Amino acid sequence: MNHCGTQKLETDRLILRRYVIEDAVAMYNNWASDKEVTKYLMWQPHPSLEISRKVTAAWVNQYSDKSFYHWAIALKENGDEPIGDIAVVNMNEETSAVHIGYCIGRAWWHNGITSEALEAVMDYLFDEVNVNRIESRHDPRNPNSGKVMQKCNMKYEGTLRSSDWNNQGICDACYYALLKSER
């Protein structure tokens, strides 16, 4: 892979950019403290703004690592305020594969924003980083996450039973992926 780090990406409606320390307030208010947003995620809702500040600071400190890919999702019409998050959460250098995770504030659900962000990140990873395989997964009780993957032409590869966990406990995991050659 040709690691080039988290670069600013733009779509028709979105700016995907690096986090800055000041984003902690928007992160906390827009999604990180919401139990519905984090229901099927692997991290607990943030009980305080201080937790969001610590998490944001940790991410900001990782941007010097060229193999760190983590974006704040902002709507152009709202200025620079983050409304969600998308990142490479796992990477396999040997197979040139990445696993992407994402979440977005409840106020912006069902508007195609997450799939627009995922498509931009996938294009960047395939074209600039030279990734061969991009995958993601979701709890089958959260089918809207799978719809995001389907909109981005990811192919359903199967459901692994009781193979994962989230804030609901042990769960099944529906896997989707797209290979660079399938674009």
Side-chain angles (χ1 to χ4, degrees), residues 10-29:
E10 289 192 41
T11 69
D12 290 340
R13 299 184 295 168
L14 307 177
I15 296 171
L16 306 179
R17 60 165 178 78
R18 291 180 174 197
Y19 279 89
V20 294
I21 298 294
E22 296 78 17
D23 290 332
V25 173
M27 176 185 176
Y28 179 79
N29 291 333

Side-chain angles (χ1 to χ4, degrees), residues 17 31 41 43 46 52 56 58 69 83 100 103 136 139 144 148 150 152 161-162 164-165 172 174:
R17 60 165 178 78
W31 75 89
L41 299 180
W43 50 271
H46 294 183
S52 294
T56 304
Y69 301 98
I83 61 167
I100 297 180
C103 63
S136 196
D139 183 319
N144 288 323
V148 168
Q150 292 167 7
C152 293
R161 298 172 298 139
S162 293
D164 206 357
W165 62 273
D172 294 351
C174 301

